[in-house]
Amino acid sequence: MFARRSPQVWHRRATGIAVGFLADLLLGDPRRGHPVAGFGTGAARLEKLTYADNRRAGALHTGLLLGGLAGLGWVAGRGDRIWVTAAATYVALGGTSLNRVGGQMSTLLETGDLDGARALLPSLCGRDPAALDTSGLTRATVESLAENTSDAQVAPLVWAAIGGVPGVLVYRGANTLDAMIGHRSPRYLNFGWAAARFDDVLNYLPARLTGILTVLCAPVVGGSPWAALRAWHRDAARHPSPNAGVAEASFAGALGVRLGGPTQYAHQLEIRPTLGDGRIPEVVDVARAVRLSRAVQASAAAVSVLLVVVSAACRSGRRSSPRR
């Protein structure tokens, strides 16, 4: 996806990514008229026409929606104009809103407001909060902060760097579809298969970058990089998701806690493997997870901008080297 472009184009992309990241940092998600919500509404309407209980129908549904986003991104993103790249990056990011919700959850749990915490949990994940106590809400929040740090921030930044506007729009669309139809409920087991698998592919590299950055950022929360690395390599592959396991295991090691266990969703109960070998997460660990998430997000932004700049420099050097 790194096509031949002038150094000026690459620098515009790097600047656009940086501006988009700063916009998310300052503003968070727009309260009304979020384009991702609009995409979700359109996807739900299209589903009424395309739904059938088989993988072929799901692949058609996914292909139509993501193909449309790719076309839109290609038209809008030609030339890597700074403001277009910035807008697309900002729309795709969700890290600041994630951290705000994490901070609110920390406050609610610290004050013992379990009803408020249960009402807020759906903003983080799709688990059933009704039967969760303080310990269950704490673990769910820490795990969701870890997974969504990768999905909502690191991955969009990586795909903005690699694919520009088309790349970041397709990624956000795929991740939204995975959240809508990628779960293993009776209705979506087959129809959502293509969306779930495509999201797994797009998140493979970003999840591993999340793991690396979590290892490096572990000292921010008083954690051990070696503990984060050990938990990642020992436990991540046991998680049912090839990508979420990396983020959750590395966060568990960095925070010195133990994640995993029974996880109740609306459609089924999953028994998750143990991630990390520390203590059971406590309420104070929610605020620590938010700090770790912020550090990983900022590091990912720096890596993404650096990736674009280095790629431009390498290509410029190859073009200017004398031919023999």
Side-chain angles (χ1 to χ4, degrees), residues 177-190 192 196 267:
L177 279 180
D178 179 57
M180 294 178 67
I181 65 173
H183 45 84
R184 296 181 178 180
S185 65
R187 175 177 174 84
Y188 293 123
L189 182 62
N190 292 312
H267 53 280

Side-chain angles (χ1 to χ4, degrees), residues 137-204:
L137 289 165
T138 298
R139 177 172 73 86
T141 301
V142 173
E143 290 175 353
S144 298
L145 284 167
E147 180 179 2
N148 286 311
T149 296
S150 180
D151 288 358
Q153 195 78 356
V154 178
L157 288 166
V158 168
W159 281 107
I162 295 175
V165 174
V168 73
L169 291 185
V170 168
Y171 170 76
R172 177 46 65 201
N175 192 247
T176 302
L177 279 180
D178 179 57
M180 294 178 67
I181 65 173
H183 45 84
R184 296 181 178 180
S185 65
R187 175 177 174 84
Y188 293 123
L189 182 62
N190 292 312
F191 185 75
W193 179 87
R197 297 292 77 77
F198 190 59
D199 181 72
D200 285 343
V201 170
L202 293 184
N203 272 299
Y204 187 85

Side-chain angles (χ1 to χ4, degrees), residues 89-116:
T89 303
Y90 166 65
V91 164
L93 294 178
T96 296
S97 294
L98 170 69
N99 290 333
R100 286 176 181 172
V101 174
Q104 292 168 8
M105 184 66 78
S106 177
T107 300
L108 291 170
L109 291 173
E110 287 174 356
T111 58
D113 186 357
L114 295 190
D115 289 337

Side-chain angles (χ1 to χ4, degrees), residues 29 60 180 193-194 247 275:
D29 289 339
L60 173 64
M180 294 178 67
W193 179 87
L275 306 174

Side-chain angles (χ1 to χ4, degrees), residues 234-251:
R234 185 191 61 209
D235 300 333
R238 297 160 51 194
H239 195 282
S241 167
N243 300 318
V246 174
E248 291 181 23
S250 58
F251 260 63

Side-chain angles (χ1 to χ4, degrees), residues 5-140:
R5 296 167 183 256
S6 68
Q8 291 78 12
V9 169
W10 289 106
H11 292 156
R12 288 199 294 270
R13 178 180 295 186
T15 303
I17 292 171
V19 171
F21 170 75
L22 291 175
D24 178 68
L25 194 63
L26 294 172
L27 304 175
D29 289 339
R31 295 183 180 275
R32 295 182 180 179
H34 199 304
V36 173
F39 173 80
T41 299
R45 290 175 178 173
L46 180 64
E47 183 182 327
K48 295 178 181 179
L49 302 175
T50 58
Y51 180 81
D53 189 15
N54 60 70
R55 292 182 177 182
R56 182 178 299 179
L60 173 64
H61 178 76
T62 301
L64 287 173
L65 289 165
L66 299 187
L69 282 179
L72 174 63
W74 182 81
V75 171
R78 285 183 294 182
D80 279 285
R81 289 169 291 180
I82 291 174
W83 72 271
V84 176
T85 302
T89 303
Y90 166 65
V91 164
L93 294 178
T96 296
S97 294
L98 170 69
N99 290 333
R100 286 176 181 172
V101 174
Q104 292 168 8
M105 184 66 78
S106 177
T107 300
L108 291 170
L109 291 173
E110 287 174 356
T111 58
D113 186 357
L114 295 190
D115 289 337
R118 291 184 183 113
L120 184 61
L121 188 66
S123 299
L124 286 172
C125 61
R127 303 183 193 188
D128 182 1
L132 294 180
D133 58 9
T134 299
S135 179
L137 289 165
T138 298
R139 177 172 73 86

